[in-house]
């Protein structure tokens, strides 16, 4: 079950997703939070950066790790507007993120509850997760973006 704090931070991630859309990138935003403070934020930018790994989650994880000078993001929550893909889910596990909260489900490439449920595998680190928070708002932004592209 989500909290008011989850809604607050996911709305902040939505603002970043809108920034991605304004740059003609797929509108996904992400924020890493610890103790009610933003450690890192990011939005999709693989097109402008010529980097296939520049997903919102990766950018937010990189920024958070740089801020605390540690690649282990213990006791953090990652808020992201779209269910993470396989690459991003692997990074979340390796970073030791404690909790993941995401908005829209991704039936095509989502690796949390759709395609491969990576967080349910017996890995060396367990991430608590909650999906579908502000799903309509997050999903609507994506639908509008792709509708305008067609």
């Amino acid at each position: 079950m989500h909290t008011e704090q989850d809604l607050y931070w996911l709305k902040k991630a939505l603002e970043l997703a809108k920034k991605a859309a304004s740059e003609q990138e797929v509108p996904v935003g992400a924020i890493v939070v610890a103790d009610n403070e933003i450690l890192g934020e990011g939005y999709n930018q693989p097109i402008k950066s010529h980097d296939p790994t520049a997903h919102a989650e990766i950018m937010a994880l990189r920024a958070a790790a740089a801020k605390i000078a540690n690649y282990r993001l213990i006791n953090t929550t990652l808020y992201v507007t779209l269910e993470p893909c396989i690459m991003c889910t692997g990074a979340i596990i390796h970073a030791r993120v404690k909790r993941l909260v995401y908005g829209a489900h991704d039936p095509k490439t989502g690796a949390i509850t759709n395609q491969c449920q990576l967080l349910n595998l017996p890995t060396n680190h367990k991430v608590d997760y909650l999906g579908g928070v502000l799903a309509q708002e997050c999903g609507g932004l994506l639908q509008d973006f792709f509708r305008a592209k067609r």
Side-chain angles (χ1 to χ4, degrees):
M1 177 135 190
H2 68 269
T3 65
E4 287 300 315
Q5 193 172 6
D6 291 337
L7 295 175
Y8 175 82
W9 292 116
L10 203 50
K11 285 177 184 177
K12 293 286 186 191
L14 261 168
E15 292 173 18
L16 292 167
K18 290 173 184 173
K19 182 173 183 176
S22 75
E23 296 178 10
Q24 300 307 304
E25 299 276 2
V26 174
V28 179
I31 296 178
V32 177
V33 175
D35 298 322
N36 214 28
E37 175 190 346
I38 294 175
L39 296 183
E41 56 185 35
Y43 58 92
N44 269 8
Q45 44 193 297
I47 297 168
K48 82 173 189 181
S49 66
H50 311 289
D51 179 357
T53 69
H55 289 196
E57 301 93 322
I58 300 296
M59 304 309 289
L61 293 171
R62 286 176 181 164
K67 182 172 184 169
I68 66 169
N70 192 336
Y71 74 106
R72 301 280 194 206
L73 301 174
I74 310 283
N75 295 320
T76 60
T77 299
L78 174 65
Y79 294 93
V80 61
T81 58
L82 180 64
E83 179 180 357
C85 69
I86 292 170
M87 173 186 69
C88 293
T89 302
I92 291 164
I93 293 167
H94 285 293
R96 304 297 194 268
V97 169
K98 181 176 184 175
R99 185 167 176 257
L100 166 68
V101 178
Y102 67 89
H105 294 282
D106 186 348
K108 292 183 179 177
T109 63
I112 308 301
T113 60
N114 280 286
Q115 288 299 320
C116 52
Q117 300 92 37
L118 287 181
L119 295 181
N120 294 333
L121 294 176
T123 59
N124 61 337
H125 175 71
K126 288 294 179 196
V127 178
D128 295 327
Y129 63 89
L130 176 63
V133 180
L134 297 177
Q136 288 185 334
E137 196 171 345
C138 294
L141 181 62
L142 286 156
Q143 289 172 341
D144 291 347
F145 176 81
F146 286 114
R147 191 175 300 119
K149 289 275 186 201
R150 293 184 188 119

